[in-house]
Amino acid sequence: MAILLTDAMLATMTDGYGLIKDGVVAMDDRLLWAGPAAELPAHYADLPRHSTQGRLVTPALIDCHSHIVFGGHRAAEFEMRLNGASYEDVARAGGGILSTVTATRAASEADLLVQALARADQIIAGGAATIEIKSGYGLTIEDELKMLRVARAVGRARPVHVVTTHLAAHAIPPEYKGRADAYIDAVVLPSLRAAHAEGLVDAVDAFCEGIAFSPAQVERIFLEAQSLGMPVKLHAEQLSDLKGAILAARFNALSADHLEYLGPDGVAAMAKAGSVAVILPGAFYTLRETQMPPIAALRAADVAMALATDCNPGSSPITSLTLTMNMACTLFRMTPLEALQGTTTHAARALGLDDRGQIAPGLRADLAIWDATHPAELSYRIGATPLHARIFGGHLDA
Ligand code: DI6
Ligand code: FE
């Protein structure tokens, strides 16, 4: 059923903010028309109307990098770090990612779903209609598939579109300690093939880092992804510059993510490949990182920047995209326009989706209606949840 959303301050994000005052949107499950009320085509004039009463309307937000399926939490590790241990110290002592692996392996699919839904509900309540969810805390074939099934189940249980990413190359499990290549052969590649065969996975990711996988090891995984026809992305240059982004660019990666230690050569390679830079200020903040991602260089090279929560129990226990936008502005000097592009248009690109992220005819009717009148307010407020209502596939949330 088609409806009209009226009396809106539209931020279409088609040209900068693409602001339209006294805007109207006609939609069914797709957007049909958007523009000023005075120009509404006569054939839409009789549709049922829903007034936003002057509120800001944007494309629904997109969280293009999350790890919301996991067991347990890591508050104790948070406390250890505040008592002086570094993130890498904790990881090498068998804590960190591996403690979440233990809890995730022990949890049933049903338990994991309950926990993931609680996190998804917060991201949705913050205005999102698309969430990317990674595996990477199972690290056995069965447990990686279990995580991906739970991720898909989130999308069936809630009015949200879930995009899944295989991340078995997130950490080396204790049973393969010191034998990363054996782990790749025995678990990463077979779980990727199985997940692909079951239709459980949309893209392939890895953690390229001293405490995880080397570029040569990541390349083996990317070659498998390529032979399956799957797009790749990479956790790159988060803690050091291993030239992961350059490797990712060689495989035409959708994105390279984190990027605090990205150098000029990495920026150039990403620009050439058209890979999106996914900036994750929640992890920077949580780890009290001091090396800033090269925002000015990315901007100068015209690399599209996206923003995401990276919601995970260790380095980024955050479920607010608007707080993420605020951090990107205040910590990284991204502009509020870049921040909103980062959670809409550029986030869509980072997921390889061309049917969302702007308000334009033909795109999905996924919108956010805000208790705000200007888009900069979304980045300016700290820790608020200014969502008034959300439209998912043309339906106003109850
Ligand atoms: N980088 C991160 O920040 C997260 N994963 C990754 O590759 C951390 C995940 C965790 O600590 O549980
Ligand atoms: Fe991550």
Side-chain angles (χ1 to χ4, degrees):
M1 191 192 70
I3 59 164
L4 281 185
L5 200 65
T6 65
D7 309 302
M9 169 63 91
L10 297 179
T12 63
M13 307 308 289
T14 50
D15 175 23
Y17 285 129
L19 285 181
I20 300 174
K21 275 187 214 142
D22 194 13
V24 174
V25 185
M27 70 191 98
D28 46 30
D29 60 336
R30 298 270 157 172
L31 301 172
L32 300 169
W33 184 87
E39 294 171 21
L40 180 69
H43 57 281
Y44 293 131
D46 292 334
L47 292 178
R49 288 172 181 245
H50 176 87
S51 172
T52 73
Q53 299 175 306
R55 290 186 174 89
L56 172 69
V57 175
T58 68
L61 303 187
I62 297 167
D63 192 352
C64 66
H65 180 142
S66 95
H67 310 246
I68 62 170
V69 175
F70 60 84
H73 65 78
R74 305 241 291 276
E77 170 185 328
F78 175 67
E79 196 154 27
M80 271 172 76
R81 286 206 313 275
L82 285 167
N83 282 299
S86 74
Y87 183 75
E88 283 144 304
D89 290 339
V90 172
R92 289 188 206 281
I97 293 181
L98 294 182
S99 66
T100 299
V101 170
T102 303
T104 304
R105 286 177 177 178
S108 68
E109 236 169 271
D111 287 346
L112 286 176
L113 180 59
V114 168
Q115 296 176 59
L117 285 175
R119 299 170 195 125
D121 285 340
Q122 290 171 21
I123 297 171
I124 293 166
T130 302
I131 305 178
E132 184 259 18
I133 304 176
K134 300 177 195 294
S135 70
Y137 291 116
L139 313 187
T140 66
I141 296 175
E142 244 339 287
D143 290 305
E144 286 295 299
L145 294 174
K146 173 174 80 173
M147 287 188 69
L148 292 168
R149 285 191 202 107
V150 171
R152 287 282 196 238
V154 169
R156 289 191 295 270
R158 293 292 187 269
V160 71
H161 185 93
V162 168
V163 176
T164 58
T165 301
H166 177 271
L167 179 61
H170 192 197
I172 297 147
E175 59 274 20
Y176 286 95
K177 195 168 182 205
R179 297 188 297 133
D181 281 290
Y183 171 66
I184 293 171
D185 289 324
V187 177
V188 177
L189 302 179
S191 65
L192 176 56
R193 288 183 209 116
H196 180 255
E198 273 193 54
L200 287 173
V201 62
D202 301 316
V204 181
D205 193 353
F207 186 21
C208 187
E209 194 56 68
I211 56 172
F213 297 88
S214 71
Q217 289 162 344
V218 171
E219 178 159 13
R220 297 183 55 209
I221 298 159
F222 281 3
L223 286 169
E224 182 70 25
Q226 198 171 52
S227 78
L228 294 170
M230 307 202 56
V232 302
K233 52 184 62 194
L234 190 63
H235 284 68
E237 276 77 89
Q238 179 184 7
L239 307 169
S240 61
D241 185 6
L242 295 189
K243 311 293 177 194
I246 294 174
L247 168 68
R250 262 208 289 124
F251 283 83
N252 290 312
L254 290 171
S255 67
D257 305 36
H258 284 287
L259 304 175
E260 277 81 347
Y261 289 82
L262 183 70
D265 49 353
V267 173
M270 290 182 69
K272 188 146 173 272
S275 300
V276 175
V278 178
I279 303 297
L280 303 168
F284 176 95
Y285 170 88
T286 300
L287 301 181
R288 291 176 296 140
E289 178 60 68
T290 52
Q291 171 83 25
M292 299 250 270
I295 299 297
L298 290 164
R299 185 187 285 137
D302 254 330
V303 175
M305 291 181 277
L307 286 176
T309 62
D310 194 18
C311 178
N312 75 69
S315 70
S316 194
I318 181 173
T319 47
S320 169
L321 276 168
T322 47
L323 181 54
T324 298
M325 290 161 65
N326 173 269
M327 288 177 174
C329 293
T330 300
L331 298 174
F332 298 158
R333 314 316 282 168
M334 284 174 68
T335 66
L337 171 60
E338 288 171 332
L340 188 54
Q341 288 170 329
T343 52
T344 58
T345 317
H346 293 165
R349 245 186 78 183
L351 297 178
L353 299 173
D354 59 9
D355 63 349
R356 68 198 70 191
Q358 296 185 336
I359 300 179
L363 301 193
R364 282 182 57 91
D366 295 345
L367 303 174
I369 306 172
W370 304 96
D371 284 319
T373 55
H374 190 278
E377 280 180 65
L378 303 180
S379 293
Y380 153 78
R381 297 198 213 163
I382 303 174
T385 304
L387 188 75
H388 174 73
R390 213 183 54 127
I391 293 177
F392 181 73
H395 293 280
L396 196 64
D397 280 349

